[in-house]
Amino acid sequence: MSSNIAPLRLSGVASGIDTSSIVDTLIFAERQPINLIEQRRRDTQSEEALVKQINSFLTEFREKATNLFEPGAFDAKTAVSADDSILTASAGNEAAKGSYNVTVAALAQAHTMQSTAAPGLAAGDHLDLTVAGETRSYTFEAGDDLQAFADRINADDDAAVSASVVSDRLVLISAESGTAGQITVGGSAAASLGMTATQAAQDAQATVNGVAVTGSGNVISDAIGGLDLTLTGVGSTTLTVGLDTTAIEARAEEFVAAYNTLAGTLRDATRYDDTTQVAGLLQGDQVFSGFVSRLRETVGASVASLAGERYDSLAQIGITSSKEGTLTLDPNAFQAALADDPSGVEAVFAAVDGLARMVDDVSGQFVSSVIDTRLDGFTTRIRRFDERIAAMEERLADKEDRLRRQFAASELAIAGLQAQQTSLLQGLSGLGLIQA
């Protein structure tokens, strides 16, 4: 073990030899094995980073594949109103396709009341407000003006109304629209305020294909299963519910993009680039090269269970593969296939042996059998490299310490001999035995 005290450096003081440079040269030469291991560690870390990136792209790709065969993947619906000034709507997957004639007779309104102008209120007067059977009471305190009283109402988190002052009048608006939000006033302040209705509480009223529907608000969720109707005006319009082919195409586009990212990364990692003359970190790795080939074969294959059907492959629904292995989605061809046979298009992805399921299976097996094992191996190798480097650094430090101490001792010995020689020569000279 090296001493904690740095060795005395007497480089060439007595001998005239640059012993420090000699030690530096020797240590530099003996550090080469450490440098080689450090390079191997860096190479391993680079390969580990690449495999982690591939694993990340695999995760993303499997997620996009799952989006194409999970329950409801092809059930997305869209609802289109012929007149948005009367009605808009949003559709859930469970909404039934079809056309609906909607007539809006009345929009929901929140009950609104106002007081007389500059009402005279006395300290201690209280106003009782009842909405939906619940009463809240508010007291007019000394020093209050109408605005302070309105602020007191609004400060109540449980208040069923909002209050404001308009043209020196207290205005109350029910927090709940429709008849259920009817405001009833009482208390000693009621007479002084003289509250009167400026807008009646009113439920929304409409008919859907002749069937009457009502709602306390202007969003009605229980009239047609899976549809939220937002009433925007009085009148009649037509609502059409159909398959949301744009949403389905977006899922297919995400699948294609995720595949191309993964395939491109794998391709670059496993090949030699003639243009840049740089080899991928995984060039020659037959396991990864084999996975690239298997993945391409899977996306280019026909679905066996759909043999004889109009659509049994990605190419037939507008998703084609280039010679470089990338996929391209033709929106026009894809939309045409969806319009022609949406269930057939779904089956290409989601049948028991559908392509989205198959690539997910292939990718999942590769992750569990190869990626996970590789990443564990990288961790072990890097740890062992670190341990070897640390041990070798310690031995090299001990050797450097020993060499410097040995050279320092040699310099001191030479200096001692030189001192003895000088003393002897001086003695002989004093005796006249030698000439100084």
Side-chain angles (χ1 to χ4, degrees):
M1 295 293 291
S2 61
S3 170
N4 290 330
I5 302 175
L8 181 65
R9 296 195 179 192
L10 300 173
S11 181
V13 171
S15 66
I17 301 173
D18 187 357
T19 55
S20 181
S21 295
I22 293 174
V23 172
D24 289 341
T25 301
L26 291 171
I27 295 303
F28 176 80
E30 297 210 18
R31 177 172 289 281
Q32 296 315 300
I34 296 177
N35 293 340
L36 291 174
I37 295 174
E38 287 178 335
Q39 183 59 52
R40 289 174 62 191
R41 179 179 62 180
R42 287 191 293 271
D43 292 343
T44 300
Q45 288 172 328
S46 296
E47 191 174 340
E48 178 189 40
L50 175 58
V51 173
K52 282 183 175 180
Q53 183 185 50
I54 291 172
N55 190 37
S56 175
F57 291 154
L58 273 166
T59 299
E60 178 75 7
F61 175 56
R62 294 185 66 195
E63 176 185 326
K64 301 309 180 185
T66 301
N67 288 344
L68 287 168
F69 67 76
E70 65 183 358
F74 280 71
D75 294 337
K77 303 296 193 309
T78 182
V80 179
S81 171
D83 190 342
D84 287 349
S85 68
I86 296 173
L87 169 75
T88 62
S90 60
N93 285 6
E94 67 276 18
K97 292 185 287 186
S99 181
Y100 303 89
N101 296 316
V102 181
T103 297
V104 180
L107 296 178
Q109 298 178 161
H111 193 201
T112 304
M113 304 184 78
Q114 71 173 13
S115 71
T116 58
L121 293 173
D125 284 350
H126 66 277
L127 178 65
D128 297 334
L129 301 177
T130 302
V131 177
E134 184 175 344
T135 300
R136 306 288 294 177
S137 185
Y138 306 94
T139 301
F140 194 83
E141 298 179 359
D144 277 355
D145 57 12
L146 206 55
Q147 185 61 58
F149 187 59
D151 292 342
R152 184 168 296 109
I153 295 173
N154 291 332
D156 180 7
D157 290 338
D158 295 322
V161 303
S162 62
S164 60
V165 177
V166 180
S167 298
D168 211 21
R169 299 171 187 266
L170 179 67
V171 177
L172 301 176
I173 302 175
S174 178
E176 182 179 354
S177 61
T179 56
Q182 178 86 30
I183 304 171
T184 301
V185 297
S188 58
S192 300
L193 287 167
M195 302 297 297
T196 57
T198 59
Q199 177 171 280
Q202 177 175 282
D203 288 336
Q205 299 176 31
T207 61
V208 178
N209 287 350
V211 179
V213 295
T214 61
S216 60
N218 289 316
V219 177
I220 301 176
S221 302
D222 54 1
I224 307 173
L227 287 175
D228 287 338
L229 307 180
T230 300
L231 311 184
T232 55
V234 174
S236 297
T237 188
T238 300
L239 181 67
T240 303
V241 179
L243 192 66
D244 190 349
T245 58
T246 299
I248 295 171
E249 181 185 329
R251 289 192 176 206
E253 281 282 15
E254 290 175 349
F255 171 81
V256 168
Y259 174 84
N260 288 340
T261 298
L262 172 62
T265 302
L266 285 167
R267 183 180 64 250
D268 292 342
T270 55
R271 72 174 181 177
Y272 178 81
D273 191 319
D274 291 327
T275 302
T276 63
Q277 296 186 338
V278 174
L281 290 177
L282 298 175
Q283 186 195 24
D285 190 317
Q286 297 303 311
V287 175
F288 277 88
S289 297
F291 175 64
V292 173
S293 298
R294 188 178 179 191
L295 199 59
R296 291 186 63 174
E297 290 171 0
T298 302
V299 297
S302 297
V303 180
S305 65
L306 300 179
E309 299 292 337
R310 182 175 179 82
Y311 302 112
D312 68 354
S313 67
L314 291 181
Q316 289 180 337
I317 61 173
I319 301 176
T320 56
S321 178
S322 68
K323 65 178 182 180
E324 291 80 17
T326 58
L327 296 179
T328 302
L329 185 148
D330 181 339
N332 293 329
F334 189 79
Q335 287 293 337
L338 277 177
D340 176 57
D341 185 3
S343 295
V345 174
E346 179 179 9
V348 171
F349 293 106
V352 174
D353 57 345
L355 298 180
R357 290 185 186 275
M358 294 304 294
V359 295
D360 180 57
D361 288 344
V362 169
S363 299
Q365 292 169 13
F366 187 72
V367 169
S368 60
S369 64
V370 177
I371 296 290
D372 291 346
T373 302
R374 288 287 181 97
L375 292 177
D376 288 342
F378 289 138
T379 300
T380 300
R381 285 166 60 188
I382 291 170
R383 185 184 68 249
R384 289 175 178 171
F385 283 144
D386 289 339
E387 291 171 351
R388 288 182 63 188
I389 290 170
M392 293 173 73
E393 288 281 12
E394 184 175 0
R395 289 195 296 271
L396 193 59
D398 287 344
K399 184 166 187 176
E400 181 178 5
D401 178 75
R402 185 171 62 254
L403 287 172
R404 293 196 185 282
R405 291 180 184 278
Q406 288 173 346
F407 276 116
S410 297
E411 290 292 337
L412 289 173
I414 292 172
L417 291 174
Q418 289 175 339
Q420 290 179 12
Q421 179 187 33
T422 299
S423 177
L424 178 60
L425 290 174
Q426 289 176 343
L428 292 174
S429 177
L431 294 174
L433 297 177
I434 61 173
Q435 188 173 7

